[in-house]
């Protein structure tokens, strides 16, 4: 049996695409993962030109926010000398401002300046690891972090490099890229579309039959019979992002070290939380919030979701399988 969620903002049935609209699908690779877009195109829209626009939107995010690309704007900021004001593009500043807001709200559970820690644990551009780093290495990397030392000048289009701060926007840039593609399609007169990048999703409009873009929420691959229901969400003006300990990790001496680093300790989050899914209008925000809630853990994460009205689903590992916990904002969407 399936369980369905409907956006609370869906007050009237969406108007389906016209009879002459045609379905079009594009796919490719970006940001170390895959992307796909399904859209209902009006008869006058050039599918080839749209694909070029989609790829340009994705390339723009990489050019601005990838710390894997040495010539990106983020990499340029990371190399800047202490006390330097670095000019950044509007989109990069927008993402950084959102990241700092989530960092502030979560008490640093999410930190866009945690790049040195991510690299140290082998989850960034630095080589992968098969064993944890030494405690003194962790302590040194932590001293190089500090989201609260970053100063933004939104009007001036710049950010202050306080010294040795290394931005890592990977936990939010992918969600922003989903939003950027959706905004591009809206601007081209394509009102009905579903965008996915590495499992992060955003849907607008409906399918030809008038039904919304139904998508199944991601669960750990070993979730088994403890979560027998498939949870489907109607992505109509809504985004979904999931953070899980099963995506990237390494095992050492019988222990799993997942890619979600707790910047407050310098070590990967070590609680029983297997995954968090967040539903939000903006995929950028859903992406960052899912990371913050994963770091906070089942109890503090649920309290944070309650306090801030975040629609979140928590899957917690137990000896018998998984326990599911829904925030009030998430449960309110259940049809």
């Amino acid at each position: 049996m399936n369980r369905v969620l409907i956006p609370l903002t869906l007050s009237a049935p969406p108007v389906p695409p016209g009879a002459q609209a045609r379905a079009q699908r594009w796919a490719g690779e970006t940001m170390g993962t895959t992307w796909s877009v399904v859209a209902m195109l009006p008869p006058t829209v050039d599918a080839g030109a749209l694909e070029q626009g989609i790829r340009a939107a994705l390339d723009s995010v990489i050019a601005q926010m990838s710390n894997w690309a040495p010539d990106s704007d983020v990499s340029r900021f990371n190399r800047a000398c202490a006390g330097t004001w670095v000019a950044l593009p509007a989109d990069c500043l927008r993402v950084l401002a959102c990241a700092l807001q989530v960092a502030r709200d979560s008490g640093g559970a999410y930190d866009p300046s945690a790049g040195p820690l991510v690299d140290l644990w082998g989850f960034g551009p630095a080589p992968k690891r098969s064993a944890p780093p030494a405690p003194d290495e962790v302590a040194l990397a932590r001293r190089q972090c500090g989201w609260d030392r970053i100063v933004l000048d939104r009007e001036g289009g710049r950010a202050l490099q306080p010294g040795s701060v290394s931005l890592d926007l990977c936990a939010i840039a992918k969600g922003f890229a989903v939003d950027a593609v959706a905004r591009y399609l809206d601007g081209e007169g394509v009102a009905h579309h579903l965008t996915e990048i590495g499992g992060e999703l955003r849907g607008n409009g409906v399918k030809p039959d008038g039904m919304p873009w139904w998508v199944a929420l991601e669960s750990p691959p070993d979730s088994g019979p403890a979560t027998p229901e498939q949870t489907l969400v109607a992505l109509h003006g809504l985004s979904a992002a999931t953070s899980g300990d099963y995506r990237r990790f390494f095992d050492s001496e019988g222990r799993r070290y997942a890619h979600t680093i707790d910047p407050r300790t310098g070590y990967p989050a070590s609680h029983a939380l297997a995954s968090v899914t967040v539903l939000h209008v903006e995929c950028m925000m859903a992406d960052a919030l899912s990371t913050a809630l994963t770091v906070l853990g089942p109890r503090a994460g649920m309290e944070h979701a309650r306090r801030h009205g975040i629609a979140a689903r928590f899957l917690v590992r137990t000896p018998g399988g998984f326990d599911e916990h829904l925030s009030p904002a998430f449960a309110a969407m259940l049809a």
Side-chain angles (χ1 to χ4, degrees):
M1 178 181 294
N2 291 333
R3 183 176 57 176
V4 301
L5 291 96
I6 306 294
L8 299 180
T9 55
L10 192 59
S11 57
V15 178
Q20 293 184 321
R22 65 191 191 279
Q24 179 70 46
R25 184 181 187 276
W26 304 276
E29 296 182 355
T30 188
M31 305 178 195
T33 187
T34 59
W35 66 269
S36 65
V37 174
V38 183
M40 300 304 303
L41 304 188
T44 57
V45 171
D46 184 339
L50 275 183
E51 181 177 10
Q52 291 181 5
I54 291 170
R55 292 183 181 275
L58 296 173
D59 290 344
S60 176
V61 175
I62 293 174
Q64 293 185 40
M65 305 174 209
S66 173
N67 58 338
W68 298 71
D71 57 347
S72 72
D73 291 291
V74 158
S75 294
R76 184 166 50 83
F77 176 89
N78 292 346
R79 290 193 301 268
C81 297
T84 301
W85 283 97
V86 181
L88 295 174
D91 283 348
C92 192
L93 279 170
R94 178 181 180 182
V95 170
L96 182 53
C98 179
L100 293 176
Q101 175 190 333
V102 175
R104 189 176 302 109
D105 291 345
S106 66
Y110 169 73
D111 185 348
S113 74
L117 286 168
V118 175
D119 277 354
L120 178 64
W121 284 91
F123 298 119
K128 295 182 179 180
R129 306 185 65 103
S130 57
D136 59 340
E137 294 179 290
V138 175
L140 177 61
R142 282 192 66 204
R143 287 197 292 270
Q144 296 173 338
C145 303
W147 63 269
D148 53 348
R149 295 194 291 135
I150 301 170
V151 180
L152 296 189
D153 176 9
R154 296 290 296 274
E155 291 186 1
R158 59 184 188 165
L160 178 66
Q161 166 61 272
S164 302
V165 164
S166 181
L167 291 176
D168 183 340
L169 300 177
C170 290
I172 189 172
K174 189 168 61 173
F176 176 81
V178 172
D179 292 332
V181 170
R183 281 193 296 269
Y184 166 73
L185 292 172
D186 288 339
E188 294 298 312
V190 179
H192 307 278
H193 49 83
L194 176 68
T195 301
E196 178 268 337
I197 303 179
E200 321 298 33
L201 298 136
R202 174 167 167 167
N204 282 37
V206 293
K207 296 186 292 184
D209 58 3
M211 294 295 290
W213 301 102
W214 289 107
V215 299
L217 295 187
E218 182 179 326
S219 294
D222 56 344
S223 56
T227 54
E229 295 178 311
Q230 188 176 46
T231 302
L232 303 177
V233 58
L235 289 186
H236 177 72
L238 194 64
S239 301
T242 299
S243 179
D245 67 358
Y246 51 88
R247 285 187 165 182
R248 285 188 295 157
F249 61 91
F250 66 85
D251 291 318
S252 178
E253 297 183 351
R255 180 176 176 181
R256 170 177 291 187
Y257 295 91
H259 75 283
T260 303
I261 308 296
D262 185 343
R264 302 167 302 177
T265 66
Y267 289 82
S270 59
H271 42 62
L273 188 55
S275 75
V276 177
T277 296
V278 172
L279 304 178
H280 196 277
V281 173
E282 286 188 298
C283 197
M284 168 178 67
M285 186 63 82
D287 201 4
L289 287 173
S290 66
T291 299
L293 295 179
T294 298
V295 171
L296 287 169
R299 292 191 178 182
M302 178 61 78
E303 177 56 32
H304 186 78
R306 288 177 183 274
R307 187 165 58 251
H308 292 274
I310 300 168
R313 179 186 73 157
F314 298 77
L315 288 182
V316 182
R317 297 182 187 276
T318 71
F322 291 82
D323 283 345
E324 180 186 64
H325 305 277
L326 309 179
S327 73
F330 189 101
M333 295 188 196
L334 290 173

